[in-house]
């Protein structure tokens, strides 16, 4: 939506869209039908594209979809225990989730990425023994590369814990400890911060 | 309880419901919703139950056991007086029963059924040991019966039985009374079984066939096998349930009892779906201490601590009389942070009201401490560990404090002496290591406090409530370096900035440099708000970089919001931009010290000074339309705060070069603010500066080319040859030709 009054449904993202959008740089224009041209494309790629019959243009809409998908996948996080996995394998919301405690909330390890786990299998057996398979089935934030790409702060006198991602500047996650409230939101330019390693 | 909303004798209803409940267990297919089952009630039920009204309403439905009593009551109707009388008498001494129950509840509900029976025995002793024993048996038999039929229901009912102690006054007597009454009316305690074993299906109380099962008529004759074996079975079952788990020390009986208590207390929706979670909760609750004689130490919550810190803000400063207050009200340097926050809020920018107010109070405190002429809330920069809240301040003239220079000035003493022609000679002259001939480029001196980039003084604090720290003035070297690096702020002012090229200073300096850059790039005001003072001699100063002072225009006519938004020419920068050199006013560093000129006789210096051209930046008060964008993005984005109410809209400008810098204008009011990470926007990735190329070696030539040292033999040979040559030379004076030949030969031997 452009004015919070009229909303249009975005189609789900495809891998192709994501791959194409990664090549684009610069700010969004604000017009979903704006078309970008490939400016940095190699000759080979251009040939390939022309062979496929597609033009080297991407609509801003696809770029938007791809960016949303990337953000969700990379930095969408939930507190530990908010979702549980049943023995049958399905994941659903934990109705008994009462929030993290204050000490837990300050630790990065109590937050998980809300996507398919990637690193879970790489843990040692000892670590796996300590995990509770119903709640610890996702990747924790601790092992994010590069280290320190999350900032944890307590706001409002310590009642709200706010995590901000440095990889996607503008992604903010909040949680009120000992309650069920949590959530994340993105306000920003929609560009990945590739300078992160230099900035830490 | 929904069960007995409108029924006058609520107890009777539950009884029925109880019965029904049992039936539900026994006969699947009936609605599991017990409350509904309890709604109807035969009037007959009422009298026996009246006695038990107090406090029982909630529990009666829980008493599935009372299916027992209910059955019995059926038969009792005729002898209702009797049961009533009995119950009454029994009711009174209920008190002792309650206690064991309550105690049980805390200790182990599992004992309830048993204990309930033992005191009951006492109760019933006066009435007859037989009856007592029967009662004992009856509940048990009932239990066993249910058990035999449906273990699930049995357990549930048993649990209910044990739950009662905590709730019901006289619950037990109720239970026991019913059996008792049953027994009174039915010699064989088989009436109780009516409810459970019905070949015809559970009879609702309102159904016509209900009253068929009257005392004296037992349907169970053919259905109850040997009571003794049943009892044994019950006992076995109960013993099994009471078996403690080896790992956790709990037993199923207690757990089920607790669980059902909890469910019936809380009445969650769809209890059957979340039963596992409830079970888990109950288990978890085991480990919580409810009543502990030791009181927990009063924990100081971190929230409380944080509040304490902020509390200081809210206290009025002591020692200030009312006179000062009056003065302040007139012209206070305190900015109206809340008003600014209001305008920015229209655009969706800003901090929460709480935080804005705290910042407001913190600024007030700052003003009371320092001699400040003007003060402005500059903005907030986010950091890794903590954030920075920044106030832009101008001191009263003449009251500025002198600061110690913290920056390291590149040593001017590093420049070399005059050139040394021969290193070897110098080494022989002095034993000191060579003085380097390297002359670092002269340091561009920082601007004076109060002018240029150091026009304002900045104070920072991590949180409102924490003390304000003054930032040191910025030097051009820092600005130049800050342009090349891009680092996050950690939140600690003394943190080192590790980067390449190495930043001269710590985080406080880096912060100051970024603030200077942001201010120079994004502090804007509506055109006409500021105008140049006309008193100064402009011409003379222009040569040195243009005017650098301005004052408010008393005749300022605000433009409409639409105009402000449409064209960027209606906004101007009111802060001088920073030149490449790092200063706002260009200064030729080579002109500065005459000493240097005298000392240096190198030609290079003269060449350099010719090359350094005067850097000129855009003059003060240039409109924004002159700002160049990045690639095809304009430098600023303007939009009104709302399209729906143009009369009250506020013009908002958002910088694209420095994401996070905003400005608003509405009528005569305007302000700038910054909320962000403190970095400039660049669509290209940041490439750090490459390290300088490796220094070229001295060009090699024959004179410094290394050769192998001569060996001893060679040296001896050389020596010998030389002596020969000398001897030959002497002889050669007499005989030239021979010497020449010999010399040649000898020379060849060398």
């Amino acid at each position: 939506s452009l004015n919070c009054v009229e909303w249009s449904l975005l189609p789900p993202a495809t891998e192709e869209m994501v791959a194409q959008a990664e090549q684009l740089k610069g700010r969004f224009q604000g017009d979903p039908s704006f078309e970008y041209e490939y400016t940095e494309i190699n000759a080979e790629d251009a040939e390939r594209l022309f062979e496929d019959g597609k033009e080297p243009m991407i609509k801003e809409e696809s770029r938007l979809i791809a960016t949303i998908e990337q953000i969700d996948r990379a930095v969408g996080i939930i507190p530990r225990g908010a979702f549980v996995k049943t023995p049958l394998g399905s994941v659903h919301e934990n109705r008994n989730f009462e929030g993290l405690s204050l000490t837990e909330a300050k630790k990065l390890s109590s937050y998980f990425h809300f996507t398919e786990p990637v690193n879970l299998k790489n843990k040692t057996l000892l670590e796996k023994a300590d995990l509770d398979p119903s709640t610890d089935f996702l990747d924790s934030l601790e092992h994010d590369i590069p280290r320190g790409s999350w900032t944890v702060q307590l706001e409002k006198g310590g009642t709200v814990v706010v995590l901000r991602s440095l990889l996607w500047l503008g992604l903010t996650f909040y949680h009120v400890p000992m309650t069920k409230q949590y959530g994340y939101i993105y306000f920003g330019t929609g560009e990945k911060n590739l300078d992160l390693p230099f900035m830490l | 309880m929904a069960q007995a909303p409108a029924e006058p004798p609520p107890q009777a209803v539950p009884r029925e419901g109880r019965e029904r409940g049992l039936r539900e267990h026994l006969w699947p297919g009936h609605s599991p919703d017990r409350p509904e089952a309890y709604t109807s009630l035969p009037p007959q039920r009422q009298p026996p139950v009246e006695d038990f009204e107090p406090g029982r309403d909630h529990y009666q439905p829980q008493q599935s056991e009372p299916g027992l009593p209910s059955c019995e009551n059926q038969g009792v109707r005729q002898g209702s007086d009797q049961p009533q009388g009995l119950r009454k008498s029994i009711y009174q001494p209920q008190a002792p029963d309650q206690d064991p129950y309550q105690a049980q509840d805390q200790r182990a509900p599992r004992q309830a059924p048993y204990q309930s029976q033992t005191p009951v025995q006492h109760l019933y002793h006066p009435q007859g040991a037989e009856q007592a024993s029967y009662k004992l048996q009856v509940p048990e038999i009932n239990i066993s019966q249910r058990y035999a039929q449906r273990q699930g229901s049995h357990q549930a009912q048993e649990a209910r039985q044990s739950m009662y102690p905590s709730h019901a006054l006289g619950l037990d007597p109720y239970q026991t009374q019913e059996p008792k009454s049953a027994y009174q009316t039915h010699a064989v305690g088989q009436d109780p079984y009516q409810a459970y074993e019905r070949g015809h299906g559970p009879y609702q109380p309102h159904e016509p066939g209900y009253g068929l099962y009257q005392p004296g008529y037992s349907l169970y004759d053919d259905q109850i096998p040997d009571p003794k074996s049943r009892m044994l079975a019950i006992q076995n079952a109960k013993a099994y349930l009471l078996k403690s788990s080896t790992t956790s020390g709990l037993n199923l009986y207690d757990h089920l009892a607790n669980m059902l208590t909890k469910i019936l207390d809380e009445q969650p929706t769809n209890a059957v779906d979340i039963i596992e979670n409830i079970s888990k909760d109950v288990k978890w609750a085991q480990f919580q201490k409810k009543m502990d004689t030791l009181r927990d130490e009063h924990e100081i919550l971190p929230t409380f601590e944080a509040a304490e810190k902020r509390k200081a803000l809210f206290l009025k400063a002591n020692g200030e009389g009312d006179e000062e207050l009056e003065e302040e009200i007139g012209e206070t340097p305190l900015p109206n942070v809340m008003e600014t926050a209001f305008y920015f809020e229209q655009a969706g920018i800003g901090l929460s009201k709480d935080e804005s107010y705290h910042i407001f109070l913190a600024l007030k405190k700052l003003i009371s401490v320092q001699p400040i002429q003007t003060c402005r809330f500059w903005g907030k920069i986010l950091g890794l560990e903590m954030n920075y809240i920044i106030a832009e301040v101008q001191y009263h003239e003449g009251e500025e404090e002198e600061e110690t220079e913290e920056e390291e000035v590149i040593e001017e003493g590093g420049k070399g002496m005059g050139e040394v022609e021969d290193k070897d000679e110098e080494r022989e002259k002095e034993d000191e290591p060579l003085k380097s001939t390297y002359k670092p480029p002269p340091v561009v001196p920082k601007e004076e406090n109060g002018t240029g980039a150091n026009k304002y003084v900045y104070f920072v604090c991590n949180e409102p409530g924490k003390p304000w720290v003054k930032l040191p003035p910025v030097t051009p070297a820092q600005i130049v370096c800050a342009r090349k690096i891009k680092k996050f702020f950690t939140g600690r002012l003394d943190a080192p900035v590790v980067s390449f090229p190495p930043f001269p200073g710590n985080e406080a300096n880096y912060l100051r440099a970024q603030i200077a850059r942001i201010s120079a790039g994004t502090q804007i005001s509506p055109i006409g708000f500021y105008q140049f003072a006309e008193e100064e001699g402009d011409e003379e100063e222009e040569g040195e970089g243009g005017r650098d002072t301005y004052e408010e225009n008393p005749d300022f006519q605000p433009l409409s919001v639409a105009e402000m938004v449409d064209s960027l020419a209606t906004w101007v920068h009111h802060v001088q931009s920073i030149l490449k050199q790092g200063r706002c006013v260009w200064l030729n560093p080579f002109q500065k010290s005459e000493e240097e000129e005298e000392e240096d006789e190198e030609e290079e210096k003269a060449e350099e000074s010719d090359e350094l051209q005067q850097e000129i930046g855009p003059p003060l008060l240039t409109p924004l339309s002159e700002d160049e964008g990045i690639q095809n993005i304009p430098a600023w984005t303007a939009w009104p705060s709302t399209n729906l109410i143009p009369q009250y809209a506020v013009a908002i400008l958002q910088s694209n070069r420095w994401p996070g810098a905003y400005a608003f204008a509405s009528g005569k009011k305007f302000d700038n603010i910054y909320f962000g990470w403190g970095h400039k926007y660049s669509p290209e990735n940041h490439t750090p500066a490459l390290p300088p190329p490796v220094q070229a070696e001295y060009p090699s030539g024959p004179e410094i080319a290394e050769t192998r040292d001569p060996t001893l033999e060679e040296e001896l040979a050389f020596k010998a040859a030389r002596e020969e040559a000398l001897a030959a030379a002497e002889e050669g004076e007499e005989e030239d030709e021979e010497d020449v030949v010999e010399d040649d030969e000898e020379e060849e031997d060398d």
Side-chain angles (χ1 to χ4, degrees):
Chain A
S1 168
L2 291 169
N3 52 9
C4 286
V5 174
E6 293 151 2
W7 297 83
S8 43
L9 183 64
L10 292 175
T14 63
E15 288 296 330
E16 187 193 324
M17 260 197 252
V18 174
Q20 280 179 355
E22 272 183 359
Q23 300 180 10
L24 289 175
K25 285 187 201 171
R27 303 281 295 269
F28 282 82
Q29 296 295 325
D31 176 17
S33 52
F34 181 84
E35 290 184 351
Y36 292 94
E37 293 179 1
Y38 278 125
T39 50
E40 300 170 16
I41 200 167
N42 303 334
E44 292 180 5
D45 289 346
E47 282 178 14
R48 227 187 312 132
L49 278 177
F50 279 124
E51 283 170 7
D52 292 346
K54 289 182 228 161
E55 295 174 350
M57 307 267 256
I58 310 180
K59 287 179 78 175
E60 174 144 313
E61 192 186 13
S62 331
R63 185 176 171 207
L64 184 64
I65 295 169
T67 310
I68 295 174
E69 167 74 20
Q70 274 180 314
I71 293 177
D72 272 340
R73 216 190 286 166
V75 289
I77 56 179
I78 52 163
R80 178 174 182 269
F83 283 82
V84 287
K85 191 170 182 179
T86 62
L88 303 172
S90 64
V91 176
H92 58 264
E93 200 184 317
N94 181 4
R95 265 192 263 192
N96 281 2
F97 176 59
E98 288 302 330
L100 301 172
S101 69
L102 205 57
T103 44
E104 274 181 23
K106 288 191 230 168
K107 294 194 277 188
L108 266 187
S109 57
S110 24
Y111 300 99
F112 293 147
H113 284 278
F114 195 45
T115 51
E116 295 290 332
V118 174
N119 290 335
L120 218 52
K121 299 169 201 166
N122 298 344
K123 294 200 178 176
T124 64
L125 273 180
L126 273 180
E127 286 177 16
K128 279 198 220 172
D130 289 334
L131 297 181
D132 178 10
S134 66
T135 56
D136 291 320
F137 55 97
L138 298 169
D139 283 334
S140 147
L141 289 190
E142 263 185 324
H143 306 292
D144 263 7
I145 297 166
R147 286 197 81 123
S149 64
W150 290 90
T151 73
V152 185
Q153 283 164 0
L154 289 175
E155 297 268 345
K156 223 183 168 196
T159 50
V160 177
V161 62
V162 173
L163 265 79
R164 290 200 180 89
S165 164
L166 302 178
L167 187 57
W168 289 92
L169 285 177
L171 190 285
T172 316
F173 169 87
Y174 71 91
H175 174 53
V176 184
M178 303 313 291
T179 67
K180 287 187 84 160
Q181 299 170 20
Y182 65 88
Y184 70 86
I185 197 161
Y186 181 82
F187 283 116
T189 65
E191 288 162 315
K192 198 166 180 179
N193 181 19
L194 293 167
D195 302 334
L196 183 58
F198 293 117
M199 295 166 79
L200 285 175
Chain B
M1 294 277 266
Q3 298 169 2
E7 307 278 348
Q11 296 125 13
V13 177
R15 277 200 179 185
E16 296 288 337
R18 207 43 38 140
E19 196 176 35
R20 209 168 295 122
L22 279 174
R23 291 181 208 134
E24 288 160 7
H25 276 301
L26 301 174
W27 310 98
H30 290 277
S31 109
D33 197 354
R34 279 184 213 121
E36 290 169 16
Y38 293 152
T39 46
S40 62
L41 167 67
Q44 296 170 357
R45 285 296 194 160
Q46 300 175 12
V49 185
E50 272 163 6
D51 292 338
F52 307 102
E53 285 189 34
R56 281 224 210 135
D57 297 355
H58 299 275
Y59 310 118
Q60 291 168 354
Q62 298 164 3
Q63 294 184 13
S64 58
E65 314 293 322
L68 231 192
S70 57
C71 301
E72 298 161 10
N73 277 336
Q74 286 178 7
V76 170
R77 267 172 228 129
Q78 296 168 0
S80 58
D81 291 338
Q82 247 184 350
Q84 263 182 353
L86 279 167
R87 285 193 200 109
K88 275 180 193 160
S89 59
I90 296 162
Y91 197 74
Q92 287 158 7
Q94 281 172 11
D97 287 344
Q98 298 166 20
D99 293 333
Y101 290 127
Q102 287 163 1
Q104 284 166 22
D105 186 42
Q106 289 172 358
R107 279 180 267 130
R110 98 178 129 91
Q111 297 175 9
Y114 292 112
Q115 287 183 5
S116 68
Q117 293 168 5
T118 42
V120 167
Q121 279 183 355
H122 299 303
L123 273 179
Y124 292 108
H125 276 312
Q127 294 155 9
E130 283 187 7
Q131 291 172 350
S133 60
Y134 262 114
K135 280 169 214 156
L136 264 180
Q137 290 179 8
V138 167
E140 287 205 77
I141 294 173
N142 269 339
I143 295 164
S144 69
Q145 192 175 13
R146 290 187 224 122
Y147 181 64
Q149 292 169 353
R150 305 247 169 142
Q151 296 196 7
S153 60
H154 168 55
Q155 287 168 2
Q157 287 154 5
E158 275 230 339
R160 278 188 223 116
Q161 207 181 24
S162 54
M163 284 190 313
Y164 303 149
S166 61
H167 310 295
L169 301 171
L171 207 98
D172 247 17
Y174 189 65
Q175 284 179 0
T176 54
Q177 281 169 11
E178 310 215 46
K180 187 192 85 168
S181 58
Y183 278 112
Q184 288 172 352
T185 51
H186 314 285
V188 182
Q190 293 177 356
D191 252 356
Y193 299 112
Q194 277 180 348
Y196 313 109
E197 307 247 71
R198 256 174 237 253
H200 318 272
Y203 276 61
Q204 307 294 327
H206 61 273
E207 286 176 9
Y210 193 68
L212 286 182
Y213 305 97
Q214 299 303 322
Y217 180 91
S218 167
L219 286 183
Y220 293 105
D221 293 341
D222 56 338
Q223 291 169 4
I224 299 175
D226 183 15
K228 280 197 191 151
S229 69
R230 212 167 263 285
M231 213 157 51
L232 193 58
I234 291 176
Q235 281 172 345
N236 285 343
K238 206 157 196 176
Y240 170 72
L241 286 180
L242 287 165
K243 219 193 311 187
S244 298
S245 147
T246 46
T247 50
S248 62
L250 305 170
N251 63 58
L252 187 56
Y253 194 86
D254 295 340
H255 181 62
L256 284 169
N258 290 341
M259 213 165 67
L260 286 165
T261 314
K262 185 175 152 102
I263 292 179
L264 287 163
D265 277 343
E266 295 175 2
Q267 302 264 318
T269 54
N270 295 335
V272 66
D273 292 334
I274 53 174
I275 191 81
E276 288 87 10
N277 287 339
I278 294 177
S279 169
K280 225 161 99 175
D281 280 346
V282 169
K283 280 191 187 160
W284 180 73
Q286 283 268 339
F287 295 100
Q288 280 190 332
K289 297 179 278 194
K290 285 176 201 152
M291 301 278 293
D292 208 358
T293 50
L294 290 176
R295 275 214 203 146
D296 279 336
E297 219 183 273
H298 176 64
E299 282 179 33
I300 303 177
L301 293 174
T303 319
F304 180 73
E305 283 176 3
E308 283 268 329
K309 281 188 212 155
R310 305 262 177 124
K311 194 169 140 188
L313 286 179
F314 286 86
L315 296 172
K316 251 189 174 173
N318 298 331
E320 292 192 14
D322 290 334
E323 309 157 2
E324 291 205 32
L325 282 178
E326 287 176 9
E327 276 183 37
E328 281 184 21
I329 292 172
E331 264 195 32
T332 169
L334 184 65
N336 194 345
V337 173
M338 300 310 289
E339 192 182 352
T340 316
F342 163 74
Y343 282 112
F344 275 117
E345 199 183 333
Q346 313 259 313
I349 303 155
L351 309 167
S352 67
K353 286 255 164 62
D354 281 350
E355 200 163 350
S356 300
Y357 200 74
H358 282 139
I359 292 174
F360 199 13
L361 290 172
L363 283 175
K364 176 164 179 284
K365 214 165 183 207
L366 175 66
I367 286 172
S368 64
V369 171
Q370 305 265 355
I372 288 172
Q373 188 182 13
T374 62
C375 172
R376 197 175 77 82
F377 174 50
W378 187 89
K380 180 173 175 183
I381 287 188
L382 303 170
L384 294 181
E385 295 166 23
M386 289 182 285
N387 305 325
Y388 289 118
I389 294 174
I390 299 157
E392 184 183 75
V393 147
Q394 241 183 346
Y395 279 124
H396 285 302
E397 292 184 6
E399 287 193 27
E400 234 175 81
E401 302 169 9
E402 296 193 358
E403 306 130 20
T404 56
E405 297 242 337
E406 296 175 9
E407 313 93 42
E408 300 171 3
V409 179
I410 301 177
E411 288 301 317
E412 292 184 356
K415 47 180 190 155
M417 310 184 312
E419 278 197 24
V420 181
E421 294 175 1
D422 193 357
K423 294 177 193 170
D424 291 338
E425 289 179 8
E426 193 190 39
R427 205 180 294 131
E428 289 168 2
K429 284 182 200 169
E430 301 161 351
D431 289 340
E432 297 169 4
L434 275 181
K435 292 249 168 98
S436 149
T437 53
Y438 167 71
K439 277 198 167 94
V443 179
V444 181
K446 75 170 169 70
E447 291 172 304
E448 285 299 313
N449 296 341
T451 64
N454 285 321
K455 182 164 185 184
Y456 295 102
V457 179
Y458 292 91
F459 282 86
V460 294
C461 74
N462 286 123
E463 268 184 4
K466 294 212 176 145
W468 290 92
V469 177
K470 186 169 173 182
L471 284 182
V474 68
T475 66
Q478 288 169 353
I479 291 186
V480 165
C481 192
R483 284 182 170 141
K484 297 185 190 157
I485 64 175
K486 196 172 178 188
K487 300 282 277 180
F488 279 119
F489 294 98
T490 62
R492 290 170 289 124
L493 284 173
D494 52 353
V497 178
V498 179
S499 67
F500 186 80
F503 187 79
N506 57 14
E507 180 150 320
N509 303 104
Y510 183 47
L511 180 64
R512 180 68 180 81
Q514 289 292 92
I515 293 175
R517 288 172 70 200
I518 293 174
S519 295
T522 62
Q523 301 284 321
I524 57 181
S525 57
I527 195 169
F529 191 88
Y530 288 119
Q531 68 179 10
F532 289 120
E534 297 172 0
E535 306 160 4
E536 304 172 12
D538 299 344
E539 297 179 5
E540 295 170 11
E541 291 178 19
E542 270 195 48
E544 291 186 7
R547 310 166 184 140
D548 58 353
T549 59
Y550 50 82
E551 61 176 26
E552 279 189 37
N553 183 355
D555 302 327
F556 174 57
Q557 296 298 329
L559 300 170
S560 73
V561 169
E563 284 178 12
M564 302 293 293
V565 169
D566 281 337
S567 139
L568 285 179
T570 48
W571 297 80
V572 295
H573 287 275
H574 62 258
V575 174
Q576 276 181 312
S577 57
I578 301 183
L579 306 169
K580 225 171 151 194
Q581 192 184 41
R583 291 170 53 104
C584 291
V585 174
W586 187 81
L587 184 68
N588 188 347
F590 299 108
Q591 291 173 1
K592 246 215 147 172
S593 72
E594 297 175 353
E595 299 172 6
E596 290 182 29
E597 287 184 0
E598 287 173 3
E599 285 181 16
D600 294 330
E601 298 164 0
E602 299 167 53
E603 299 175 352
E604 297 169 358
K605 235 192 171 192
E607 290 174 5
E608 281 180 23
S609 60
D610 290 336
E611 287 174 4
L612 259 187
Q613 292 167 5
Q614 180 173 9
E615 296 174 16
I616 304 176
L620 199 57
L621 298 189
T622 55
L624 257 59
S625 41
E626 311 280 332
D627 277 359
E628 41 176 65
I630 297 185
Q631 290 187 349
N632 53 349
I633 307 167
W636 294 87
T637 309
W639 35 282
S641 62
T642 165
N643 285 324
L644 304 170
I645 309 176
Q647 307 95 300
Y648 293 107
V650 176
I652 309 279
L653 242 69
Q654 180 186 338
S655 168
N656 294 326
R657 284 239 233 92
W658 291 96
Y662 303 97
F664 83 90
S666 166
K668 281 206 169 176
K669 294 199 208 296
F670 81 97
D671 203 351
N672 304 282
I673 207 154
Y674 182 86
F675 294 119
W677 295 93
H679 299 119
K680 194 167 186 176
Y681 174 74
S682 75
E684 306 300 326
N685 296 331
H686 166 74
T687 42
L690 290 173
V694 177
Q695 269 189 324
E697 290 184 6
Y698 199 88
S700 52
E703 58 268 19
I704 60 165
E706 284 183 13
T707 53
R708 231 164 22 97
D709 276 346
T711 63
L712 186 56
E713 292 139 356
E714 286 179 14
E715 279 191 10
L716 286 176
F718 182 74
K719 227 179 172 180
R722 186 170 271 194
E723 286 171 7
E724 286 179 13
L726 280 176
E730 292 173 5
E731 294 174 9
E733 290 176 0
E734 301 170 4
E735 297 175 4
D736 290 337
E737 292 181 357
E738 292 174 359
D739 292 337
V740 169
V741 170
E742 287 178 353
D743 283 342
D744 287 342
E745 290 174 353
E746 286 159 3
E747 281 176 9
E748 288 169 3
D749 290 340
D750 294 342

